[in-house]
Amino acid sequence: MLSNTKKLLGTPLLASLLVLLLPALAGASEWRLNMTQGVTEVSQEVYSLHMIIFWICTVIGVVVFGAMFYTMIMHRKSKGAKAANFHHSTQVEIIWTVIPSLILIAMAVPATSTLKKIYDTDDADMSVLVTGYQWKWKYEYLGEDLSFFSNLSTPQSQIYEGEARGENYLLEVDNPLVIPAGKKVKFLVTAQDVIHSWWVPDLAVKRDAIPGYVHEAWTRVDKEGIYRGQCAELCGKDHGFMPIEVHVRSQSDYNEWLTQEKAKAAEIAALTQKTFSFDELMAEGEAVYQRACAACHGPGGEGGVGPAIIKSKVATGPIDIHIDVIVNGITGTMMQAFGEQLNEVEAAAVITYQRNGFNNNMGDEIQPIDVYNFKQGN
Amino acid sequence: MAHGPDKGLSRWLFTTNHKDIGSMYLWFSFLMFLVGGVMALIIRAELFEPGMQIVDPNFFNQMTTMHGLIMVFGAVMPAFVGLANWMVPLMIGAPDMALPRMNNWSFWILPFAFAMLGSTLFMEGGAPNFGWTFYAPLSTTYAPPSVTFFIFAVHIMGASSIMGSINIIATILNMRAPGMTLMKMPLFVWTWLITAYLLIAVMPVLAGVVTMMLMDIHFGTAFFDAAGGGDPVLFQHIFWFFGHPEVYIMILPAFGVVSAILPTFARKPLFGYSSMVYATAAIAFLSFIVWAHHMFTVGMPLFAELVFMYATMLIAVPTGVKVFNWVATMWKGSMTFETPMLFAIAFVILFTIGGFSGLMLAIAPVDFQYHDTYFVVAHFHYVLVPGAIFSITAGVYYWLPKWCGHMYNEVLGKTHFWLAFAGLNITFFPMHFSGLAGMPRRIPDYHDLFADWNMISSIGAFLFGAAQILFLYIVIRTIVSGRKATQEVWEGSHGLEWTVPSPAPYHTFDTPPEVK
Ligand SMILES: [Cu+2]
């Protein structure tokens, strides 16, 4: 009976150890165990605080669990142990109240100073307004007249159809945030719809993006490179699919990038004046639709979180209302205002596509200038 | 005067007997435990490997939300109320609860609350999908229509908890046997007394916050809508003012259970009884002034961050006192390791590990990296699964012989323990690693970097799930066919509950016992 029980105790314990060790033995490369040290002064301070408190806990753990295992082994009835009868000792109790208190005070000192650093957003060299949307980020370079949206760029087929996953699966975007190395960059973080959280582990920056609030955070990265992160606050269906990609470049590369982006923006502004053919609009519209609308309205317009576009009253109704829905959204619902997120060309294209794709066959088309005029209120 | 139970269904529907009601609470919570567990397994199955295979992201969010709500409000809290119903009167020498009819009512509204909550899964737009913390405006403006049913379900659960608490307080304060002074009460009674006060203090806050949501959704207010001049952060302050004491509501009675079991099997009195009582009270008090440590990243002013950080770190002190006292209770005892003892010891070890990660999370600057990652998931599962669930399980093995008059099978019980112990650690320990590696919580899909730990967690979860089926089998087998239990049940047992026969008769302590 006794040996039976022992066996029973032993087997699962061994098995569980094996399960934990097996992968380590297999030598897989991905076994990240610990927090990143990151690439900023703050992230390194945070890392060392993390290690200090970890070792404090480990030491306390060794003492407490050591005592427990010692007594469990030595003071068993089966070994003939007789129970003592003590039940309190003021002295001991005072000791184990005071010592932890002292350790905590010692820990609070460095923690306070790092926290102060995290909060010190003064004297920034530049500022970026970061806005969370369901489910993308918008970056606005303050004082530079440049802003753009940053969407997940991992193809849906990798996520839903089991296609081979890319190297940066779910951590890649179409338009990354680019910042110069060695400069103090201030982030002003807010959100348009629900609460999000902008988190890049290597920078140790995590700030909740909250509608109605603009909160500050900052970083200074000396090492050029690409740093990835994710939205950290549950924000609805595609919370897991709104990554962050930060490119840190030398000042001169950064300047070059800035000039290029501004030129691109000017080009798009010029395109607003241009008249597109029906086919051009439909092709562009399909791309925009799959990128920006399919998540809610279904890739084939069949609906999902949002209503179906097939035979939709809006898509087959008056054009003005349709433009209004896309530009201004439907207040109080998940249908957000796309007026800012899509440029005039994209908006015109996606409207045309919704009215003529999905067998809606309305036979009309919208030009960018129509959207432009609508936005101007005429 | 004393008569037996009614026959058939009416026994259960109309009963005012604390033992019957206790049993119903316990069975109900076990059912909810299984339902919430199945949801957890759906989550773990989807997370077994990267890519979306089994559910869609929206349903995934419904599962995380419902899993949390059901486990907190359906499994853990009713289980402790069930234990209180059974044991508080037996421990203080009272014939029943002070307010028996209300007792019946507080139980019987629960199945309706959970039926309502469960029914949202079949509604258009699906069940609540905004996490068990239901942050506005995701849970208001952006919520599925079923949120209204969620709100009413929470109201009913709150009413049930408040009535249960009033009853427990009234019983403890008024119905103790002569000689049973406050400082002679078993620690389980003490921890429940304090828990009941916590419940009465915070459940109305929860009711308030969901009512504000209801107003925002249906009656045009804008408490939490920034566009209407409201404040989404206000929601979080109110929620966590409820939510933080809530986590102690789920753990204080567990302290009581463990403080009953360890002395029995160490055959030695509890070490530091009065400091245990004071530590419990201190923890309860501190639990009201630390709520914003759940919100270190929302952008509070530096000063507020510091205050909440210091207060949170302070909780480690009374919690440490408890752990040290338990170890001292075992020290130089004459220990045997029956199933309840195994669960109780695992509680002390694993809860302490959860306490360590809690201390790490308290360090605000580091919390910027931990917050909303799997590290937090690992932390609160370490305090809740070995904390609440293991202590409830320990309590069931410990008192089951008293309840049904039969001994459970020790070999099966130990098998259950080791399976659950292994399953728990395989599931939750790797989550520390995936969290530190940077995996956010509540995501249905992830980068390959996190793949290995997630696969291990999923394997562990199924093992843990299987262990609970064994538990069900053991309990049923004990009730129908176990060996007869003695009155004391355990060699080292102390206290009034062991002075009544096993099984405890339908009515006990009709004349109060004398406590010396
Ligand atoms: Cu988000």
Side-chain angles (χ1 to χ4, degrees):
Chain A
M1 169 63 213
L2 195 79
S3 69
N4 216 340
T5 328
K6 271 208 182 125
K7 244 185 256 156
L8 272 170
L9 303 189
T11 330
L13 199 66
L14 215 76
S16 53
L17 266 177
L18 263 179
V19 175
L20 280 176
L21 284 179
L22 227 128
L25 296 177
S29 57
E30 301 286 16
W31 297 93
R32 270 273 298 279
L33 289 172
N34 205 351
M35 181 189 285
T36 172
Q37 296 203 28
V39 290
T40 65
E41 191 191 330
V42 168
S43 75
Q44 266 143 22
E45 266 184 38
V46 164
Y47 175 80
S48 56
L49 276 175
H50 158 71
M51 290 316 287
I52 296 173
I53 188 75
F54 169 73
W55 284 115
I56 290 178
C57 291
T58 308
V59 170
I60 301 176
V62 167
V63 173
V64 173
F65 299 150
M68 276 185 82
F69 279 102
Y70 176 82
T71 182
M72 281 194 283
I73 292 164
M74 302 306 291
H75 307 142
R76 309 174 152 242
K77 192 179 174 217
S78 58
K79 283 191 156 184
K82 291 267 169 302
N85 201 27
F86 61 87
H87 48 75
H88 78 281
S89 154
T90 314
Q91 208 177 3
V92 180
E93 288 171 62
I94 289 178
I95 291 177
W96 65 42
T97 311
V98 172
I99 292 184
S101 310
L102 294 179
I103 296 177
L104 290 176
I105 292 171
M107 190 63 213
V109 175
T112 303
S113 93
T114 304
L115 195 61
K116 279 191 176 145
K117 235 174 238 176
I118 292 178
Y119 267 77
D120 177 17
T121 50
D122 291 346
D123 305 321
D125 298 307
M126 59 178 278
S127 303
V128 181
L129 177 64
V130 178
T131 312
Y133 288 75
Q134 278 182 324
W135 294 282
K136 54 190 151 274
W137 296 98
K138 180 185 175 191
Y139 300 115
E140 204 170 332
Y141 289 69
L142 298 183
E144 292 289 357
D145 196 23
L146 172 66
S147 79
F148 54 84
F149 280 86
S150 182
N151 292 282
L152 174 74
S153 63
T154 303
Q156 298 282 309
S157 51
Q158 287 186 15
I159 303 171
Y160 290 98
E161 285 147 35
E163 202 177 88
R165 293 184 297 277
E167 192 193 342
N168 296 312
Y169 181 69
L170 298 187
L171 297 179
E172 52 201 348
V173 302
D174 51 2
N175 302 309
L177 173 72
V178 179
I179 55 172
K183 289 279 152 65
K184 183 164 185 175
V185 182
K186 179 152 91 176
F187 301 111
L188 302 160
V189 186
T190 184
Q192 186 64 34
D193 35 45
V194 300
I195 301 178
H196 304 264
S197 188
W198 197 82
W199 180 36
V200 181
D202 279 319
L203 315 185
V205 173
K206 186 184 278 149
R207 259 289 168 239
D208 291 0
I210 306 173
Y213 280 90
V214 180
H215 283 129
E216 299 185 346
W218 69 276
T219 194
R220 180 189 286 120
V221 190
D222 291 326
K223 201 164 143 230
E224 288 171 41
I226 298 178
Y227 306 104
R228 298 171 196 277
Q230 284 175 273
C231 176
E233 182 63 62
L234 178 63
C235 56
K237 175 171 140 309
D238 281 347
H239 162 56
F241 305 96
M242 52 181 294
I244 296 153
E245 201 179 317
V246 181
H247 290 206
V248 178
R249 302 200 180 152
S250 69
Q251 183 71 47
S252 58
D253 285 359
Y254 169 76
N255 289 343
E256 193 177 314
W257 171 85
L258 200 63
T259 329
Q260 261 173 23
E261 288 302 306
K262 284 185 183 165
K264 254 196 244 164
E267 215 171 283
I268 289 168
L271 283 179
T272 305
Q273 304 299 328
K274 189 181 150 194
T275 307
F276 289 82
S277 77
F278 180 73
D279 291 342
E280 281 171 332
L281 288 171
M282 286 296 280
E284 170 71 8
E286 181 171 5
V288 174
Y289 181 84
Q290 294 303 340
R291 191 184 78 222
C293 325
C296 296
H297 291 290
E302 69 277 14
V305 189
I309 300 301
I310 307 173
K311 301 259 140 45
S312 135
K313 282 216 183 63
V314 173
T316 59
I319 265 187
D320 277 357
I321 295 180
H322 197 169
I323 302 182
D324 184 41
V325 166
I326 285 25
V327 171
N328 295 324
I330 303 174
T331 340
T333 75
M334 285 172 72
M335 181 61 203
Q336 47 197 290
F338 279 92
E340 271 189 80
Q341 305 179 34
L342 302 178
N343 62 43
E344 278 72 4
V345 180
E346 290 168 329
V350 79
I351 295 170
T352 309
Y353 178 67
Q354 285 194 331
R355 299 182 75 77
N356 294 286
F358 314 119
N359 284 329
N360 283 345
N361 300 330
M362 292 297 289
D364 45 12
E365 62 182 60
I366 311 275
Q367 290 297 337
I369 192 72
D370 300 328
V371 177
Y372 180 80
N373 286 336
F374 179 86
K375 282 188 185 170
Q376 301 307 311
N378 41 22
Chain B
M1 184 205 106
H3 56 84
D6 274 2
K7 294 271 173 309
L9 195 62
S10 60
R11 163 172 180 183
W12 302 105
L13 277 178
F14 305 125
T15 183
T16 54
N17 180 285
H18 73 104
K19 301 185 181 81
D20 280 353
I21 294 174
S23 303
M24 289 197 295
Y25 264 112
L26 287 166
W27 279 112
F28 176 77
S29 74
F30 192 76
L31 176 69
M32 288 296 117
F33 182 50
L34 293 184
V35 173
V38 167
M39 292 172 173
L41 292 184
I42 294 173
I43 295 170
R44 283 318 321 170
E46 178 56 60
L47 292 173
F48 184 71
E49 54 184 8
M52 300 297 301
Q53 291 93 11
I54 299 174
V55 297
D56 66 69
N58 194 33
F59 189 71
F60 183 90
N61 289 345
Q62 295 175 32
M63 286 296 104
T64 54
T65 307
M66 295 290 272
H67 163 72
L69 291 169
I70 289 178
M71 286 305 196
V72 168
F73 295 103
V76 173
M77 291 170 64
F80 279 128
V81 181
L83 289 180
N85 254 293
W86 254 105
M87 301 318 299
V88 167
L90 284 181
M91 285 176 159
I92 62 173
D96 204 307
M97 297 293 279
L99 310 159
R101 281 177 206 283
M102 191 166 87
N103 205 8
N104 171 294
W105 181 235
S106 16
F107 171 76
W108 272 111
I109 59 180
L110 270 189
F112 293 94
F114 283 90
M116 193 188 280
L117 184 65
S119 71
T120 57
L121 278 166
F122 309 99
M123 290 180 187
E124 208 182 316
N129 54 7
F130 30 67
W132 88 276
T133 52
F134 52 100
Y135 281 9
L138 189 61
S139 61
T140 52
T141 319
Y142 294 83
S146 63
V147 64
T148 308
F149 290 86
F150 154 81
I151 291 172
F152 281 126
V154 169
H155 274 139
I156 300 174
M157 293 169 206
S160 163
S161 291
I162 291 173
M163 288 193 287
S165 308
I166 292 175
N167 210 345
I168 287 169
I169 294 175
T171 308
I172 297 175
L173 293 187
N174 297 310
M175 302 191 41
R176 296 192 309 281
M180 173 69 77
T181 59
L182 284 177
M183 288 311 274
K184 272 193 193 152
M185 295 194 311
L187 214 68
F188 179 72
V189 180
W190 255 117
T191 52
W192 240 118
L193 180 65
I194 293 172
T195 302
Y197 277 109
L198 283 183
L199 274 166
I200 289 183
V202 300
M203 287 318 260
V205 179
L206 175 68
V209 80
V210 293
T211 308
M212 288 159 90
M213 284 168 59
L214 188 76
M215 304 291 282
D216 271 14
I217 296 168
H218 294 293
F219 303 109
T221 58
F223 290 111
F224 308 129
D225 178 7
D231 181 352
V233 178
L234 175 68
F235 174 90
Q236 298 184 24
H237 282 294
I238 306 177
F239 177 81
W240 286 114
F241 189 80
F242 147 78
H244 195 79
E246 169 69 20
V247 305
Y248 291 98
I249 287 165
M250 293 191 282
I251 203 66
L252 293 185
F255 291 169
V257 173
V258 169
S259 303
I261 293 174
L262 289 178
T264 298
F265 296 97
R267 293 168 181 75
K268 202 171 144 273
L270 183 69
F271 185 88
Y273 170 87
S274 41
S275 69
M276 285 298 225
V277 173
Y278 300 138
T280 309
I283 292 174
F285 169 73
L286 287 173
S287 77
F288 282 107
I289 54 168
V290 295
W291 75 89
H293 67 213
H294 298 271
M295 306 163 52
F296 279 143
T297 62
V298 299
M300 284 181 293
L302 178 62
F303 179 73
E305 298 258 322
L306 289 173
V307 170
F308 282 109
M309 172 168 81
Y310 301 148
T312 306
M313 292 168 79
L314 209 56
I315 289 198
V317 176
T319 313
V321 167
K322 298 220 148 228
V323 173
F324 299 140
N325 282 354
W326 287 321
V327 178
T329 304
M330 293 163 68
W331 191 259
K332 295 219 163 131
S334 169
M335 273 184 276
T336 51
F337 299 89
E338 287 85 347
T339 309
M341 182 65 162
L342 290 179
F343 274 102
I345 292 174
F347 167 95
V348 177
I349 296 178
L350 300 179
F351 175 78
T352 304
I353 292 180
F356 286 149
S357 52
L359 186 55
M360 296 171 79
L361 286 159
I363 313 294
V366 197
D367 184 64
F368 278 78
Q369 292 285 50
Y370 303 139
H371 178 69
D372 266 337
T373 68
Y374 260 84
F375 191 79
V376 176
V377 179
H379 160 70
F380 68 73
H381 281 92
Y382 259 87
V383 285
L384 284 177
V385 182
I389 305 288
F390 268 25
S391 72
I392 293 164
T393 314
V396 168
Y397 279 112
Y398 184 58
W399 286 307
L400 189 59
K402 179 57 59 192
W403 299 339
C404 71
H406 296 156
M407 293 304 283
Y408 62 89
N409 179 309
E410 199 60 64
V411 175
L412 285 179
K414 284 186 174 154
T415 311
H416 170 215
F417 168 76
W418 285 108
L419 286 177
F421 183 82
L424 177 153
N425 286 294
I426 297 172
T427 310
F428 298 115
F429 210 79
M431 289 183 184
H432 292 111
F433 303 138
S434 35
L436 290 175
M439 178 165 165
R441 68 193 278 205
R442 294 166 165 166
I443 59 174
D445 193 9
Y446 50 85
H447 184 260
D448 287 71
L449 186 65
F450 315 122
D452 302 312
W453 295 127
N454 271 285
M455 191 176 281
I456 293 179
S457 286
S458 293
I459 294 171
F462 280 87
L463 181 61
F464 189 79
Q468 306 316 319
I469 303 301
L470 178 60
F471 183 35
L472 178 63
Y473 169 76
I474 295 172
V475 170
I476 292 177
R477 195 181 125 134
T478 310
I479 294 174
V480 298
S481 71
R483 187 162 49 82
K484 292 270 333 139
T486 61
Q487 177 169 309
E488 296 78 22
V489 181
W490 310 108
E491 189 184 54
S493 55
H494 277 283
L496 289 177
E497 77 256 45
W498 310 107
T499 63
V500 300
S502 305
Y506 201 56
H507 295 283
T508 36
F509 298 127
D510 280 335
T511 45
E514 199 56 59
V515 181
K516 281 173 277 304

